[in-house]
Amino acid sequence: VEEGVSLEVALDRICQQTSQRLEPWLRRQPHRTPQARLTEAAHIRNQFLCDAGLGGLARWLRAAGFEAQWQPHIEDDNLIEQAQRLDAILLTTDSLLMERRLLRDGIIPALWLPPTLTLAEQMTQVMRELQLTPRSPRCMACGGSLIRGDKEALRDRIPPRTYTWLNEFFVCE
């Protein structure tokens, strides 16, 4: 960011420069927009791979019923390799990663999320951009199926205040 330039102006300039760089690529693509192809891929694949900075998003995608993987210290090369092997949609906050050929050319579908977004904003953007609707929730920790648990049997695992006001509990299979 240049000295004396507001963040808004700097971000606007970055958006304009990115649009200009993408223009030749967009002209070479079939009539479907990159956004349409990404949305289509999301509905076919339903599996996401989150970069190292998106662990919270991976957890909430699982809660929304989607398969989402995350490794805290994964290198970019390994992340791309894994996304290709798993046939997953890559979610990232790394703009330089998006410039790699496999992502830039849409060979591996990917969605860039601004790093300044809160977790709720990230989730909102992913759901909106990919036109996803929530499904049956999965375990936020591992993505496993959830089954209804007996409140009394789970008493030792439930915080006391939560135990008093909730009656329905689920555990990972």
Side-chain angles (χ1 to χ4, degrees), residues 2-169:
E2 297 174 21
E3 291 286 327
V5 176
S6 71
L7 182 58
E8 291 80 16
V9 170
L11 287 173
D12 185 51
R13 288 179 185 170
I14 290 169
C15 287
Q16 288 175 7
Q17 290 170 353
T18 303
S19 292
Q20 289 171 352
R21 288 191 314 195
L22 282 174
E23 208 170 297
W25 178 79
L26 290 172
R27 282 193 296 258
R28 293 191 311 262
Q29 300 305 308
H31 66 281
R32 290 184 337 199
T33 65
Q35 180 60 44
R37 287 193 300 274
L38 182 59
T39 301
E40 181 181 301
H43 288 272
I44 292 169
R45 294 175 184 176
N46 295 312
Q47 183 167 350
F48 299 94
L49 185 60
C50 297
D51 76 8
L54 294 174
L57 178 61
R59 291 176 56 81
W60 282 101
L61 282 168
R62 291 180 199 129
F66 299 96
E67 289 184 46
Q69 294 189 24
W70 170 78
Q71 294 175 13
H73 303 291
I74 192 167
E75 296 291 326
D76 288 350
D77 290 338
N78 293 339
L79 183 70
I80 290 171
E81 191 177 291
Q82 210 172 55
Q84 195 165 26
R85 185 173 33 79
L86 295 172
D87 201 23
I89 295 172
L90 189 113
L91 303 175
T92 184
T93 57
D94 185 346
S95 58
L96 292 176
L97 185 64
M98 292 297 291
E99 292 182 15
R100 296 208 183 184
R101 184 186 58 80
L102 291 172
L103 303 180
R104 183 192 64 225
D105 294 349
I107 295 166
I108 296 174
L111 178 64
W112 178 76
L113 300 166
T116 56
L117 296 181
T118 65
L119 180 54
E121 292 167 333
Q122 290 171 349
M123 187 68 177
T124 299
Q125 184 168 346
V126 169
M127 298 296 280
R128 184 183 62 237
E129 293 287 325
L130 301 178
Q131 300 174 10
L132 301 173
T133 54
R135 302 171 171 183
S136 297
R138 295 171 149 319
C139 174
M140 291 177 75
C142 71
S145 297
L146 296 176
I147 56 173
R148 189 177 306 276
D150 179 62
K151 183 175 180 175
E152 282 305 313
L154 297 171
R155 185 179 194 120
D156 295 341
R157 296 173 59 185
I158 302 170
R161 292 174 78 187
T162 303
Y163 184 86
T164 60
W165 67 274
L166 277 178
N167 292 316
E168 191 175 37
F169 295 92

